[in-house]
Amino acid sequence: MRNEIAIFRKKKDLTQQQLAEIVGVSVGHICKIENGQKNASLYLLLDIADALDTTVGELIPGIF
């Protein structure tokens, strides 16, 4: 999941700070998710997927 979020975020030309502001969490939280140090809740994943114009399934390949 962590690499996919970073990939989709960069495709949207967003910084971690910008994504964090959009979904309402700290930049440190986004950084930890992307680095695999923290797991995102389902609700946060839904918000991230929406912000990145994708689906949770795209962010977590093989889960669905």
Side-chain angles (χ1 to χ4, degrees), residues 16-32:
Q16 288 180 337
Q17 178 68 44
Q18 290 169 319
L19 179 58
E21 290 172 4
I22 291 167
V23 299
V25 298
S26 71
V27 67
H29 196 93
I30 295 295
C31 183
K32 286 179 181 178

